[in-house]
Amino acid sequence: MLARQLRSLRPASLFLGFGLLAYAGCSSGGTTAAAVTHPTMIEVAPEDFLGDVPCSEGPGLKRFVATLIDTDYVAQGGAGAVDTSADAAGGAVDFQLPSSRPTPCLAAVGFGLVVSGRHYDVEIDGYDTDDLAPRASGSRQMVSTVAAEAGPEGSLLTPRWSAHCDDTIAVDSTIVRALHCTPFQPLDDAALGSVRIPLARLMGGLVCGDQPGQIAHFEVTLSSGDGEMHVRSVPCTADAELSYTELSPRDRVTAYVTAFSADSLEAFAGATCDALTSPAATVDAECTGLSQVGTLRIDLQSALASVALSCNTRSISAVTIDVPGVAQSQRVLPPDCLQPFEHGFAPGPAAVSVTAQPADSSAAAVSLTCTAEIAPGQLALADCTQNSP
């Protein structure tokens, strides 16, 4: 996603463009005219959606995040039993492009990854703070950058205002301004929210069908912060998605998506999703792709602490990790053992051997076995126990 602050650049850009055109018009017959190339972009300008929300150093809008939605996108389900044509898929589906970075409230933002002739909507989230950053590159979710609020993944923020621009058509070599925008509306903290999970976009190289290794249906388990669980089953189609409605606002929800083939009762692939619900709004969950392996994680610090050792050179000289089926051991030196160890396994029980060599060369090495039950597409924290001498 190409995002630029366009407002401050627009006068200079126009001046430069006119200058080149004037030069081409005044050139002699023996001079080659200079061509002017404009980008194919969609621009989002604050004056089209601010409404009555002030943009100032006092209370009011500080930053906004714009997200482009391609409404002409046709999901590609791959080969097999699924016809991925627009007619078979029921027409085009909405496809969310990477979001802009948090943009100052009086600056325009431009999107360059657009295709001429396609139709785009824009979702705009407004925030009353400058202390925010994307959860990941291109993410619509924002996290707090205030150290007191930020945890391991940061503290997810909910926008204070929302706006929407309808049906902007990209034009080749032209900066098209998004129009038909609703003004910013405050989000009602008491209003319920919704979460949408784009199942078809998680498939990667997998396809729908009734043959072994193909997806017959999905099962989705969504868990909310209040402990409530919602389980749904969805047939696999080229545009499959699932929406959960009437969720508590400003609630962190997680979902585990599993894929089943027609000939098995056991899931053969899985993915994880999470979202922060917004009042009176539908939020797209952020998901990993479907994977046929799961991840075993060993917290090396905790494993060492369970045998009265620490990840420093005063306590140990090294940690050796042996994974079944992997010929070469992995040797980890302090302070690298402060980081967890992870390895992918097929679904089912998995075990890894961890050996800690004390810094005192006369002391015997300590051996542990770390085990976990692996589910496809999920992270499993291993339980480590010391082996008998």
Side-chain angles (χ1 to χ4, degrees):
M1 192 273 295
L2 172 63
R4 303 188 306 174
Q5 304 304 328
L6 295 176
R7 180 171 305 282
S8 60
L9 297 179
R10 189 181 298 118
S13 300
L14 289 175
F15 177 80
L16 177 61
F18 289 142
L20 290 173
L21 288 172
Y23 173 80
C26 297
S27 63
S28 64
T31 303
T32 302
V36 178
T37 301
H38 296 285
T40 303
M41 298 183 72
I42 290 178
E43 174 190 359
V44 182
E47 59 262 33
D48 294 327
F49 59 80
L50 275 176
D52 296 329
V53 176
C55 175
S56 66
E57 294 183 0
L61 179 70
K62 297 297 186 295
R63 302 265 171 170
F64 71 90
V65 176
T67 304
L68 217 59
I69 310 294
D70 184 346
T71 59
D72 286 333
Y73 180 78
V74 177
Q76 298 297 312
V82 175
D83 183 351
T84 58
S85 67
D87 290 340
V93 297
D94 291 351
F95 181 81
Q96 178 176 308
L97 278 70
S99 300
S100 72
R101 290 189 61 81
T103 303
C105 56
L106 288 181
V109 64
F111 292 85
L113 295 181
V114 296
V115 180
S116 179
R118 294 175 81 119
H119 294 241
Y120 296 88
D121 289 354
V122 186
E123 299 288 347
I124 305 158
D125 303 317
Y127 295 86
D128 60 355
T129 178
D130 289 311
D131 299 321
L132 73 167
R135 186 180 176 199
S137 178
S139 173
R140 186 176 177 181
Q141 292 184 346
M142 296 292 116
V143 297
S144 173
T145 57
V146 178
E149 299 178 5
E153 297 184 359
S155 176
L156 284 173
L157 300 176
T158 299
R160 290 288 306 276
W161 302 275
S162 66
H164 180 87
C165 304
D166 280 323
D167 199 25
T168 300
I169 303 174
V171 178
D172 188 43
S173 301
T174 304
I175 300 176
V176 179
R177 186 158 162 171
L179 299 175
H180 316 296
C181 300
T182 61
F184 261 153
Q185 297 294 326
L187 295 174
D188 180 4
D189 286 347
L192 298 178
S194 302
V195 170
R196 179 169 52 224
I197 300 176
L199 298 171
R201 302 214 303 266
L202 311 184
M203 292 170 60
L206 299 173
V207 297
C208 299
D210 57 5
Q211 300 301 311
Q214 296 179 336
I215 303 174
H217 73 279
F218 303 95
E219 286 192 6
V220 184
T221 302
L222 183 138
S223 303
S224 58
D226 57 11
E228 189 173 359
M229 297 184 65
H230 311 262
V231 182
R232 305 271 184 86
S233 180
V234 182
C236 185
T237 63
D239 58 351
E241 66 175 31
L242 178 61
S243 292
Y244 290 88
T245 60
E246 298 186 351
L247 299 174
S248 299
R250 305 181 189 276
D251 188 14
R252 179 74 174 270
V253 298
T254 59
Y256 180 43
V257 180
T258 48
F260 292 80
S261 62
D263 63 342
S264 176
L265 297 177
E266 298 292 331
F268 74 95
T272 56
C273 305
D274 65 84
L276 181 69
T277 59
S278 292
T282 297
V283 176
D284 282 331
E286 296 191 358
C287 305
T288 62
L290 283 169
S291 174
Q292 297 186 62
V293 300
T295 301
L296 177 143
R297 172 182 285 179
I298 301 174
D299 185 338
L300 294 176
Q301 292 188 78
S302 297
L304 291 170
S306 70
V307 291
L309 296 173
S310 301
C311 180
N312 58 62
T313 54
R314 299 186 303 276
S315 179
I316 63 170
S317 60
V319 174
T320 302
I321 303 171
D322 292 286
V323 178
V326 178
Q328 187 170 355
S329 300
Q330 181 169 334
R331 185 176 171 86
V332 181
L333 304 178
D336 292 344
C337 47
L338 295 174
Q339 299 297 319
F341 170 81
E342 295 182 351
H343 190 82
F345 287 90
V352 173
S353 296
V354 176
T355 303
Q357 180 62 55
D360 181 357
S361 58
S362 63
V366 180
S367 175
L368 303 97
T369 298
C370 301
T371 61
E373 186 70 24
I374 304 299
Q378 278 197 316
L379 179 71
L381 185 62
D383 180 31
C384 297
T385 56
Q386 183 175 0
N387 299 324
S388 300

